[in-house]
Amino acid sequence: MTDPAGTAADGLPGVARLRSHQWFGGGGLRAFSHRARTRQLGYLPEEHLGKPVIAVLNTWSDVNPCHIHLRERAQAVKRGVWQAGGFPLEFPVATLSETFQKPTPMLYRNLLAMETEELLRSYPVDGAVLMGGCDKSTPALLMGAASAGLPAVFVPAGPMLPGHWRRGVLGSGTDMWKYWDERRAGLIGDAELAELENGLARSPGTCMTMGTAATLTAAAETLGVTVPGASSIPAVDSGHARMAAASGRLSVDLVRRDLRLPAILSREAYEDAVAAVLALGGSTNAVIHLIAMAGRSGVRLTLDDFDRIARTVPVLADLRPGGRYLMEDFHFAGGLPGFLTRIRDVLHLDRPTVAHPTLREQLADALVHDSAVIRPRDRPLAAEGGVAVLRGNLCPDGAVIKHIAAEPRLLRHTGPAVVFPDYRTMQRTIDDPSLGITPDHVLVLQNAGPRGGPGMPEYGMLPLPRHLLEQGVRDMVRISDARMSGTSYGACVLHIAPESYIGGPLALVRSGDPITLDVAARTLRLEIPDAELARRRAAWTPPPERYERGYGALYNEQITQADTGCDFAFLARGGDTPDPYAG
């Protein structure tokens, strides 16, 4: 029941402090207008007045196979909101499809973060449910929601079903790279490739390996912003719909308790997320995204934090691309709650999550059911976390390598460079016999970083020359300022900072220069005299800008480098943004 002005008249506690009350409560003209337009939408006063209004931000799209089921899952989220006494409003937001969006969805991560933040700030909502999962959507939604500062729950899209081909189980991405190399080596033909097209990705959902999507949703769960166990539920499992409904209910509870996202996203939470990512053998992309997410939460996270924490945790998840199993195996082995019990000693157990007063309580009943998939500490897949941070005259601000996915013989290697000035040139010439590429060479790709790519595409897993594939070679040292897919593998040094496009040392490398990679020593060096390096630097001239107008121009002006998270400078800096005046 409401009075004529539409304000709550039933004594509901906390109504006046609801943010949405600024729009709907009181007797002024604006409140009258807002209520009238809500009636135009077909809603009765008792459906929404005095209730927590929950924004359901949905990244569903017809062209995003990872999220194609989120249209249905949004209904489950709304069901949960209604059950808990809230009022859901669904907002379609930008979809970042790793599969189809060019030059890379990384170019648009910050755009979705901006949209998320401004939608939550400018509309009459009290809390949010964030629906995503495909690679860049997870950090984008959480970056924007962290900046907006409302109560929020994240709903991961969930991994797709395992792939199948003949009698083999396939991992999306990982086996795509593998069999494409087999095709280039002449070991399989067009008929087999057509069969693989039908078996590689069999259902809605994100990649079912420990690629970027699974890594980032696991990080979100570790941060404490999901229903426990949410990150590994297969997309088509009925448990996924139940999780979505539970997330809707939880979002209403968070509003009533006024538990906002900044209270969850503490330094301790980010350190735990880093530990989980490294112990999972997760994607190198998590380094960039977690640094950016932490920055939006007022937490300074650095490459040195990743390297420090990597030395404290082993790799315990036997998951592709570094291991054998897939995400469905991981889910039924205990999922992330079970996994976190294996590294409990390095976690901050007394911090809050959206679902429990402390992480300790959240993990109290968690179990591991299969120690082949989630290994015990005395049988790790690798003794240290799966990503190493490198320094040296080629990467003064850092670079990363997923060393557990590389052939061990290459983790200490010196070889002559073969330099490609851009990705298109590399594609056109990589198989040219006149280049004389041997397994000992180091393939170097320039101008593929945040500004040079543009957008830092996943070019870092450079293809090997066909003649080497035909000889059975399957890995070489490859160096770039690009990223690579979390489903990829190989001795790929990535995220070199500063990037070559703005004059970083990578821009100065010439074919034939010796390069030394030493993962144990955490170094990457160009073995030429300092005087020669200085001479080349003095002769270097900057390339023309990629964009002259539009979003691309804004991106070029504001994008930061990989070591600081590739956020926009004007979004990453501190300062308050006031709520709009709604009256």
Side-chain angles (χ1 to χ4, degrees), residues 156-195:
M160 68 177 86
L161 292 175
H164 278 278
W165 180 51
R166 297 182 179 178
R167 298 187 66 184
V169 176
L170 302 177
S172 60
T174 301
D175 281 305
M176 178 187 73
W177 311 115
K178 172 185 172 182
Y179 285 108
W180 188 252
D181 279 351
E182 299 293 284
R183 173 71 175 86
R184 294 181 65 228
L187 299 178
I188 63 173
D190 291 342
E192 290 88 350
L193 212 61
E195 292 177 14

Side-chain angles (χ1 to χ4, degrees), residues 255-333:
V255 171
R256 287 182 169 143
R257 289 190 284 139
D258 198 28
L259 182 57
R260 297 169 179 256
L261 203 53
I264 304 297
L265 298 179
S266 62
R267 162 161 283 281
E268 291 77 15
Y270 281 106
E271 289 187 351
D272 288 353
V274 171
V277 163
L278 294 168
L280 285 164
S283 168
T284 50
N285 287 305
V287 178
I288 292 175
H289 295 313
L290 282 171
I291 288 173
M293 292 160 63
R296 294 296 191 93
S297 304
V299 173
R300 186 173 181 270
L301 195 65
T302 69
L303 291 178
D304 291 336
D305 291 318
F306 278 84
D307 202 53
R308 170 180 57 82
I309 295 171
R311 298 173 189 273
T312 70
V313 291
V315 178
L316 298 177
D318 195 350
L319 298 172
R320 300 185 197 184
R324 298 173 292 171
Y325 296 99
L326 296 173
M327 286 304 297
E328 189 169 2
D329 304 309
F330 180 75
H331 179 65
F332 292 113

Side-chain angles (χ1 to χ4, degrees), residues 326-348:
L326 296 173
M327 286 304 297
E328 189 169 2
D329 304 309
F330 180 75
H331 179 65
F332 292 113
L336 195 76
F339 178 82
L340 291 179
T341 65
R342 296 289 208 215
I343 58 169
R344 193 194 301 263
D345 57 303
V346 303
L347 300 178
H348 299 87

Side-chain angles (χ1 to χ4, degrees), residues 499-565:
E499 65 175 304
S500 55
Y501 192 80
I502 63 171
L506 189 67
L508 311 178
V509 182
R510 303 289 180 263
S511 290
D513 289 347
I515 293 175
T516 296
L517 166 67
D518 190 335
V519 173
R522 299 295 199 267
T523 57
L524 179 69
R525 287 195 52 81
L526 180 63
E527 305 289 1
I528 64 171
D530 291 345
E532 172 61 15
L533 201 60
R535 186 191 68 78
R536 294 181 188 179
R537 182 173 289 110
W540 180 83
T541 56
E545 291 292 349
R546 296 287 194 200
Y547 297 96
E548 294 183 355
R549 60 162 302 281
Y551 174 74
L554 172 67
Y555 177 93
N556 276 348
E557 291 170 5
Q558 293 292 326
I559 195 67
T560 63
Q561 289 292 291
D563 61 303
T564 53

Side-chain angles (χ1 to χ4, degrees), residues 349-403:
L349 296 171
D350 294 321
R351 61 179 177 87
T353 71
V354 293
H356 289 86
T358 66
L359 179 62
R360 186 188 308 277
E361 293 176 55
Q362 184 158 309
L363 300 180
D365 298 322
L367 297 171
V368 173
H369 307 297
D370 189 338
S371 290
V373 181
I374 301 174
R375 295 192 178 196
R377 292 291 283 266
D378 60 358
R379 286 194 297 109
L381 197 69
E384 289 188 353
V387 175
V389 175
L390 308 175
R391 304 277 183 177
N393 67 349
L394 253 183
C395 52
D397 293 336
V400 301
I401 183 172
K402 188 174 182 178
H403 54 90

